Amino acid sequence: IDTATIQLTLDNQPPEITIPYPTENETINYKPGGRITFRADVNDNTGISRVDFYIGTRLIDSISFPPYVTNWNLSPGEFRLRVRVNDLAGNTSEESVKFDVIR
């Protein structure tokens, strides 16, 4: 008879996420050629696999290692930044903020 031991870690907790900038309903002044830096603060008990940044439904960046930041070229309009976090166990969380860019 052989005996084997397998260590198993169960993770059913989704990752935590906050978007520190821009804040909800923030107004940003447009400057030609200007860029904005988006940052996601994420935390998970087993580790992060990927952080995806979207403007509306369009994926603008996917990052696998911290810091979870990306840049985006400013253009006038109303936008929704959506950030989706996937942990190593396959759990996901999502946060979004609406912001305006005005001339």
Side-chain angles (χ1 to χ4, degrees):
I1 296 176
D2 287 333
T3 302
T5 303
I6 299 173
Q7 184 174 356
L8 181 64
T9 302
L10 296 177
D11 178 15
N12 60 1
Q13 294 290 94
E16 298 173 359
I17 177 172
T18 57
I19 302 171
Y21 180 79
T23 58
E24 183 69 25
N25 296 316
E26 184 163 351
T27 300
I28 300 166
N29 291 320
Y30 172 74
K31 295 176 189 167
R35 296 172 65 83
I36 184 173
T37 300
F38 299 129
R39 185 178 92 220
D41 294 337
V42 299
N43 187 30
D44 187 70
N45 58 339
T46 61
I48 302 299
S49 169
R50 186 177 78 243
V51 177
D52 297 326
F53 291 84
Y54 296 85
I55 292 292
T57 58
R58 193 185 92 203
L59 177 67
I60 60 169
D61 206 352
S62 186
I63 301 170
S64 297
F65 299 99
Y68 302 108
V69 298
T70 191
N71 294 308
W72 180 68
N73 294 327
L74 286 176
S75 61
E78 292 181 4
F79 301 97
R80 179 158 296 277
L81 169 66
R82 190 168 51 98
V83 180
R84 176 179 221 141
V85 180
N86 300 286
D87 71 10
L88 294 173
N91 301 307
T92 62
S93 290
E94 189 173 297
E95 282 291 324
S96 69
V97 293
K98 179 189 162 297
F99 66 98
D100 298 317
V101 179
I102 61 168
R103 288 190 189 263

